[in-house]
Amino acid sequence: MFIATLTALFSCTFADVVLRPEAFQLSRDDIGDFSDIAFGNANDVASIDPDTECRSIPGDPGWPSEGEWSRLNASIDGALLKPEPAAATCYPGPDYDQQRCRFLVETAASVRYFWIDDPLVALAEWTQGSTNTGHDFGGRSVGAGSLSIWVHHLKDFELLPEYTQGNYTGPAVRYGAGIEAWEMYNFMAANGITLVAPGGSTVGGAGGWLSSGGHCSITSTFGLGADQALSIEVVTADGRLVTADPETNTDLFWALRGGGGATYGIITSVIMKAYAPINLTTSSLALRTPSPISDIDTFWQAVSLYYRFCADILDAGGYGFSYIYPGADNSYRFTTSSQFPGKTPSEVRDFMQPLYDELDRIGVNVVNPTPTTRVFGSPRGGGGDRPVNTRYRSRLLPRENWEDDELFNRTMAAIREATEGGYENDFYFHGTLTSPTEGVAGWPGRDSAVIPAWRNNRMHAMLMDLQPVGVTAAEARDRDAMMQTYMQLLRDVSPGAGSYMNEGDPGEPNWQEAFYGEHYTRLLEIKRARDPWGLFWAPTTVGSEGWEVQPVDGYPNSQNGRLCRVTPLS
Ligand SMILES: Cc1cc2nc3c(=O)[nH]c(=O)nc-3n(C[C@H](O)[C@H](O)[C@H](O)COP(=O)(O)OP(=O)(O)OC[C@H]3O[C@@H](n4cnc5c(N)ncnc54)[C@H](O)[C@@H]3O)c2cc1C
Ligand SMILES: *[C@@H]1O[C@H](CO)[C@@H](O)[C@H](O)[C@H]1NC(C)=O
Ligand SMILES: *[C@@H]1O[C@H](CO)[C@@H](O)[C@H](O)[C@H]1NC(C)=O
Ligand SMILES: *[C@@H]1O[C@H](CO)[C@@H](O)[C@H](O)[C@H]1NC(C)=O
Ligand SMILES: *[C@@H]1O[C@H](CO)[C@@H](O)[C@H](O)[C@H]1NC(C)=O
């Protein structure tokens, strides 16, 4: 059975650019006598087949016929796509093309929008059994045999200089779900405003980033992406376009801000807070062993002095973006940039000086550099983001860990032990430090489904697992078990905290608690009320637990397979 949702959205992609896509909506008249499409009625869920063991994939008797696909396509003005994976040109078969394949391997990454303009591409290859296809790091936007909605072309963008919503009156913007980060930066520059926007170039401004939180260098000052939303247009599973805001469809408005994408409905556009232009001033620090720091304990002490100092940076509205790379023979490299919205270079230099004094006291003589500054909303070129094979694993380390000396030391010891494991096992440490507290979230941000661990966060600590290409499924499972032991070190020092789903692992144990915290029960009620059919499904989204993908490749958490019930029907 098709639900009209899909149609409504596809027709948007063909909208005249002058009109907002939401102006084009499917009506009962458009459906005519095509009985495979219907608007849903949440009080009548009998239409879903309760006897279905697995969702249909091509070749199954339940899979729509060519004729049905054609009719669907006609009802949506021909917007239905059936793309082939780009990498098919590299494999034996009808699409094999040596020259095209060489282009993919050697050149495609440098062609600005090549990968992003391909509807089949997921930027994390491991979610596809490490074949060359996959933006979401956890495989939440891919699925074998699935019908997916491509919001890429919903590109409308509008400045609302004076907008009122409840308690908020001020500048805002409205943009479509296909807007990417780089387009937001260009819009900021062109209109002299600041928006909370993803750090990457091609991350969507109204998709996964927004719906699971969304951090960037100004989140300790203005809050998360989710905190900026004042109103959200969303197509729900029954096929209807609704507005969710602080007064209308308040359940959806709450859930869509932090409770995860891909499960309550399809966001078509958002209205987000905007701010006056602001400068972002950055101070960088790099430390290395064995030279210039010869003693490994001194290196780790210096790293922990920086992380300790980050509490002050965060409380001043700043952000810390750090990596620790283990190398051969006990060599380590630590890099970080400390970023301050609204401070001048000389203010930042003075602010950082106490850290340099402390480093000096332990024998690490580094010069407090002159910070660089730029307008946060500086123009950017897009593109460049391309498929990689990194598997992210995340822990949100709370404020308490910075407030008790003994616990802080244990936290640093856990980071050290985990990072040391990366030397032999090909992973490294990534610490993103930001404090999107309830205070900075403001209204209506503070009342949302954002995991409470974000409100209390100091460091979003990640192990960046460089999934080897070409390993067998059994080796991949062993590697996953090994990575879990290193992640456990971080969990053990932060009981009851959480993990950031957007840069987390779909194999995270007890993911309901880890990704959603105490909000899970309420979110599940909203999912069941809004999508009683279970139309929308992605791994680790709210309400996904009854079903799982059975990967044909056997790789842990691969999305390459059939979606079936976890507990077979008897
Ligand atoms: C290069 C790069 C840089 C990044 N930088 C940052 C960063 O600075 N800060 C940060 O917080 N994260 C960052 N991330 C992580 C990012 O937040 C996640 O990858 C996120 O899932 C991307 O969302 P998307 O909508 O672009 O991706 P997609 O893969 O399209 O979607 C991710 C999930 O959201 C759902 N979704 C997408 N659009 C909609 C919609 N319109 N309605 C409902 N559900 C939807 C999808 O179904 C899927 O489940 C980065 C990722 C990359 C690849
Ligand atoms: C849908 O229709 C359009 C226009 O007729 C056509 O170009 C496209 O190939 C069709 N899609 C599929 C999957 O057949
Ligand atoms: C506005 O703020 C007040 C005080 O914080 C709050 O009680 C009220 O509910 C808010 N208004 C709306 C529309 O939420
Ligand atoms: C940003 O910095 C530049 C250069 O230091 C300065 O001229 C400008 O006034 C600053 N802008 C804001 C908004 O503070
Ligand atoms: C924490 O570590 C620092 C630096 O090694 C040390 O000086 C301090 O005594 C430790 N504190 C506790 C409570 O262990």
Side-chain angles (χ1 to χ4, degrees):
M1 186 193 85
F2 294 116
I3 295 199
T5 315
L6 312 167
T7 330
L9 203 69
F10 273 121
S11 55
C12 294
T13 64
F14 271 61
D16 187 306
V17 286
V18 180
L19 290 170
R20 288 176 45 209
E22 286 97 349
F24 295 81
Q25 288 185 42
L26 189 82
S27 69
R28 277 182 207 284
D29 291 346
D30 299 323
I31 297 171
D33 65 351
F34 186 19
S35 60
D36 286 339
I37 296 184
F39 284 95
N41 175 355
N43 299 319
D44 169 22
V45 290
S47 50
I48 215 87
D49 182 2
D51 304 327
T52 309
E53 197 74 55
C54 296
R55 306 276 172 107
S56 298
I57 59 170
D60 289 351
W63 187 255
S65 67
E66 286 302 322
E68 287 168 314
W69 283 118
S70 296
R71 250 190 118 173
L72 174 68
N73 195 15
S75 75
I76 54 174
D77 294 338
L80 186 69
L81 303 175
K82 190 183 174 187
E84 289 292 330
T89 57
C90 299
Y91 292 86
D95 294 320
Y96 181 78
D97 179 334
Q98 197 182 359
Q99 235 176 335
R100 184 81 189 149
C101 176
R102 183 175 302 162
F103 166 80
L104 286 184
V105 174
E106 291 172 7
T107 319
S110 60
V111 179
R112 261 192 167 180
Y113 309 113
F114 180 80
W115 291 111
I116 295 303
D117 283 343
D118 181 331
L120 258 197
V121 161
L123 293 187
E125 295 168 15
W126 68 265
T127 63
Q128 297 297 296
S130 295
T131 55
N132 185 5
T133 50
H135 230 156
D136 186 65
F137 296 128
R140 287 173 297 145
S141 45
V142 288
S146 60
L147 180 58
S148 66
I149 314 286
W150 202 31
V151 295
H152 190 62
H153 294 290
L154 302 184
K155 293 287 193 191
D156 52 317
F157 213 135
E158 184 186 356
L159 178 66
L160 309 170
E162 177 90 347
Y163 179 78
T164 298
Q165 175 67 257
N167 286 352
Y168 181 84
T169 296
V173 292
R174 184 203 320 268
Y175 58 81
I179 288 292
E180 298 159 40
W182 67 281
E183 295 166 306
M184 294 175 76
Y185 286 92
N186 289 347
F187 193 84
M188 290 183 226
N191 291 279
I193 52 166
T194 298
L195 301 171
V196 176
S201 278
T202 58
V203 174
W209 175 78
L210 168 91
S211 51
S212 292
H215 65 81
C216 71
S217 16
I218 59 174
T219 37
S220 309
T221 298
F222 298 109
L224 295 166
D227 301 335
Q228 312 310 314
L230 295 164
S231 181
I232 302 176
E233 298 287 285
V234 52
V235 180
T236 44
D238 59 6
R240 291 178 176 87
L241 175 73
V242 301
T243 300
D245 68 25
E247 276 139 43
T248 321
N249 292 303
T250 52
D251 58 332
L252 277 176
F253 186 62
W254 183 79
L256 288 167
R257 294 171 303 140
T263 196
Y264 319 100
I266 300 156
I267 297 173
T268 57
S269 68
V270 287
I271 296 179
M272 307 279 275
K273 292 182 181 176
Y275 307 89
I278 195 164
N279 281 343
L280 185 73
T281 301
T282 300
S283 174
S284 302
L285 170 66
L287 303 168
R288 263 175 197 277
T289 64
S291 166
I293 303 176
S294 56
D295 176 56
I296 194 79
D297 290 329
T298 305
F299 170 82
W300 284 104
Q301 220 183 330
V303 169
S304 81
L305 283 178
Y306 173 77
Y307 284 144
R308 191 69 186 247
F309 189 74
C310 269
D312 294 347
I313 297 178
L314 271 42
D315 289 344
Y319 184 78
F321 197 71
S322 71
Y323 292 96
I324 314 172
Y325 302 99
D329 304 324
N330 248 357
S331 69
Y332 286 90
R333 189 159 58 94
F334 172 75
T335 66
T336 189
S337 78
S338 311
Q339 309 179 18
F340 297 82
K343 283 200 194 300
T344 64
S346 68
E347 284 168 349
V348 167
R349 198 163 187 272
D350 291 349
F351 188 94
M352 297 298 289
Q353 190 54 44
L355 170 68
Y356 288 86
D357 295 342
E358 287 183 66
L359 289 170
D360 191 65
R361 270 197 287 279
I362 61 163
V364 175
N365 312 107
V366 266
V367 178
N368 183 1
T370 304
T372 56
T373 194
R374 67 182 161 88
V375 184
F376 176 74
S378 296
R380 283 194 187 184
D385 296 338
R386 59 193 162 99
V388 292
N389 211 26
T390 314
R391 183 161 175 169
Y392 281 58
R393 300 170 190 263
S394 145
R395 192 71 185 163
L396 294 169
L397 301 175
R399 186 173 276 272
E400 289 79 55
N401 292 44
W402 269 248
E403 285 165 0
D404 174 291
D405 271 358
E406 191 268 334
L407 180 56
F408 180 78
N409 286 2
R410 276 201 284 131
T411 305
M412 291 303 125
I415 291 176
R416 177 175 176 172
E417 190 179 340
T419 310
E420 284 173 344
Y423 163 50
E424 290 206 328
N425 299 300
D426 225 10
F427 63 88
Y428 57 96
F429 181 82
H430 182 13
T432 296
L433 296 103
T434 185
S435 281
T437 59
E438 276 188 17
V440 298
W443 185 90
R446 60 177 171 260
D447 182 18
S448 72
V450 164
I451 180 171
W454 257 134
R455 301 303 180 204
N456 201 28
N457 183 63
R458 281 301 192 207
M459 183 198 284
H460 160 37
M462 290 160 272
L463 298 185
M464 310 292 280
D465 174 8
L466 300 165
Q467 293 280 305
V469 176
V471 295
T472 63
E475 286 165 340
R477 283 194 294 271
D478 287 348
R479 180 176 180 86
D480 186 51
M482 179 268 299
M483 289 306 300
Q484 293 295 353
T485 65
Y486 288 110
M487 277 311 295
Q488 195 56 39
L489 298 169
L490 301 178
R491 293 186 198 114
D492 286 345
V493 293
S494 57
S499 173
Y500 179 36
M501 182 165 73
N502 275 346
E503 293 172 316
D505 178 28
E508 177 70 31
N510 307 317
W511 56 263
Q512 290 90 337
E513 196 193 332
F515 293 150
Y516 305 92
E518 67 195 35
H519 294 325
Y520 196 75
T521 312
R522 184 171 164 198
L523 286 167
L524 189 55
E525 283 167 16
I526 296 171
K527 165 70 174 176
R528 288 183 175 151
R530 291 291 184 169
D531 180 13
W533 307 277
L535 177 68
F536 302 119
W537 191 92
T540 74
T541 56
V542 169
S544 63
E545 48 276 276
W547 298 75
E548 69 185 1
V549 167
Q550 298 178 345
V552 290
D553 50 38
Y555 287 87
N557 306 104
S558 160
Q559 292 303 301
N560 196 6
R562 217 179 244 283
L563 182 63
C564 297
R565 284 182 198 275
V566 174
T567 311
L569 297 168
S570 49

